[in-house]
Every structure is written in structure tokens, then in C-alpha cells.
Amino acid sequence: MPERKTSKLVLEPAQRTALVNTQRRLLLRGGLSLGGLAMLSGCNLQDGDTFDKVLWAMSRWNDKVQAWLFNDNKLAPTYSASDITKPFPFNAFYPEYNVPEIDLSDYQLDVSGMVADKKPWTLEHLRRLPQASQITRLICIEGWSAVGQWGGVPLKTFLQHIGADLNARYVGFKCADRYYSSIDMATALHPQTILALDFGGEALPPDFGNPLRLRVPTKLGFKNPKHIMAIFVTNTYPGGYWEDQGYNWFSGI
């Protein structure tokens, strides 16, 4: 039986350049996911081998690109009351029966880092600050989304009241359910980023993060930590619960 000859595609230099440029555009448009690559490759993001280092470098590069594209004047879409998702879904890294029980009577929000006033805040004091309300869509990295009504203190207002260094790089959050996260300062100062005290016109229920959660509609859902117990301002990269396991840190628009 005669040997079958296979043809080999040969690209001219200009064609190869065009192909590479197309691949790069697709990479940017698709928002390369470090977590997705890690799962597909089966690599351990903690073992420090060369491939892991490449993935981490790609993720950090992706963060820089997204931060560069971020426009602090661009608002996330808002909706009408008729668009609100009912029932609004519960979501966490644990089952619903493990939602933390927090004694609201002695709750205090701790403040630290690059701020002038480090005294803790009670819920009463937080509610005395100017409040804002929004009906926005929470988009989960798992593929679902839901529209909800949130109310609370604009994070920019809170940072100004505590004398935060608004030129610092990060604002971090520590939570009662062992969760932790952080955002860039530009996102913290965005007009739609709020410290939510209310959901649907009433105080936050336990399932949705009482007594305080971050609501930042310009980022994915996992960047909206619940049950916040402490806020800090820093120039040192704080990471996050999912981010330290491979999720892209910026994760926003």
C-alpha cells in the first residue's frame, strides 16, 4: 500500500504575524482565566514550578490590563424594581446552614492600615453617614446572575471619613466566615461601590451578608465579600480567598 503523503501548511512571514496578532486579540477578548488554565492543566498553583510561575505572571499581567481599561466614570447597568430576581439566590463557599451567626448588638467594624482614624465603627454610626441605593446585577463566576436592590454607605464616603490615604493601592476586607478579599483603590472610589447595610429596603439578612457586605457591581460576585468585620488600607498586595487559589484578582470591568 503506497504511503500517504500529507501536505504541510506553510505560512508567509506576514501571515504568521497576522495569526499571532489574532491570537493575542482573542486572548485579551476572552479574559484569560488563570483558574481555568490551572484546572485544565491539573497543576498545583502552590508548588512553585516553572509552569505555575508562568500562569501567575499571566494572571498579574491580566490584572494590569484590566486596571488600565477600568474607567471610574463608567457605571454598571442599573435596573427597575420589576427586574429584581425573586428569590435572590444564596451563594457562598459553604452550605447555607453554615452561615455565621453574628451578635449585632455588639458588632464593631475594625479599621486599620493607612488611615488617620482607626476607631471602630458601630452599625448605628455607619447608618448616620450618607446612604445610597442601587438596583444592580450580581454576576457570579459560576455562570449565573441575579438583580437585587442594595443600600448602604458609599465606600468612598467611608474612606474619606476615616482619613484613608486615597493614593494607597488596595482596600482589604476580613470577614466573619473566614472569607477575605481586596479591591484596587480606583474601584473603592467608584460611585457605585458601597458598604451595603440593606437588601430589598431592609437590613441585610444573614444569607446575604449581615451586618455588612461590599457591593461592587463593576466586579464579579466573589469580589463582594459578606459579613465584613474589618477594613484596611494598604500598599501591600492583600490577595483574597479565591484569588489565592488561582482566580483572577481584578475580575472586573
Side-chain angles (χ1 to χ4, degrees):
M1 183 175 181
E3 180 181 356
R4 177 179 296 178
K5 295 183 179 180
T6 58
S7 60
K8 182 178 180 181
L9 178 63
V10 179
L11 297 177
E12 297 295 329
Q15 293 174 313
R16 288 198 296 269
T17 300
L19 178 60
V20 170
N21 289 338
T22 299
Q23 290 172 331
R24 287 174 178 169
R25 286 195 296 270
L26 290 173
L27 180 66
L28 283 170
R29 187 179 300 170
L32 181 65
S33 168
L34 173 62
L37 282 175
M39 287 185 286
L40 286 173
S41 65
C43 71
N44 178 352
L45 291 171
Q46 304 299 326
D47 61 19
D49 64 21
T50 301
F51 188 57
D52 292 352
K53 292 177 181 178
V54 170
L55 290 177
W56 279 117
M58 292 169 71
S59 182
R60 297 288 77 82
W61 173 81
N62 197 22
D63 287 334
K64 291 179 180 178
V65 171
Q66 291 179 71
W68 179 72
L69 293 173
F70 181 75
N71 183 346
D72 55 7
N73 293 314
K74 182 178 181 179
L75 302 180
T78 57
Y79 301 85
S80 65
S82 61
D83 296 318
I84 293 175
T85 303
K86 297 180 180 178
F88 196 89
F90 168 81
N91 185 250
F93 66 100
Y94 47 79
E96 192 169 359
Y97 56 77
N98 280 341
V99 169
E101 296 181 4
I102 300 173
D103 185 354
L104 302 185
S105 64
D106 63 358
Y107 171 82
Q108 288 189 326
L109 174 67
D110 292 329
V111 176
S112 63
M114 301 169 66
V115 301
D117 187 354
K118 294 183 171 64
K119 71 174 184 295
W121 285 68
T122 65
L123 292 175
E124 180 183 358
H125 290 148
L126 287 170
R127 289 192 177 277
R128 289 178 186 172
L129 294 177
Q131 306 286 300
S133 180
Q134 60 179 253
I135 300 178
T136 50
R137 183 180 298 277
L138 186 147
I139 301 174
C140 182
I141 198 170
E142 294 175 345
W144 58 267
S145 68
V147 175
Q149 181 181 5
W150 312 87
V153 182
L155 182 53
K156 179 179 180 179
T157 299
F158 179 75
L159 293 174
Q160 290 172 332
H161 271 75
I162 63 176
D165 183 349
L166 302 185
N167 292 315
R169 298 180 65 185
Y170 308 105
V171 179
F173 307 88
K174 299 178 181 178
C175 308
D177 56 2
R178 298 182 292 107
Y179 199 78
Y180 62 102
S181 189
S182 59
I183 58 175
D184 57 294
M185 182 59 76
T187 298
L189 301 179
H190 189 276
Q192 288 178 307
T193 302
I194 65 173
L195 294 174
L197 294 158
D198 299 321
F199 178 80
E202 300 180 354
L204 276 174
D207 279 6
F208 300 149
N210 80 323
L212 186 69
R213 76 172 294 169
L214 182 68
R215 180 66 191 113
V216 50
T218 58
K219 290 188 179 293
L220 291 174
F222 74 91
K223 302 294 293 186
N224 293 241
K226 299 179 285 189
H227 315 290
I228 296 174
M229 303 298 291
I231 292 177
F232 59 97
V233 178
T234 181
N235 278 330
T236 302
Y237 174 69
Y241 180 88
W242 288 115
E243 297 89 329
D244 292 346
Q245 299 182 57
Y247 282 57
N248 180 245
W249 179 80
F250 195 89
S251 289
I253 58 174

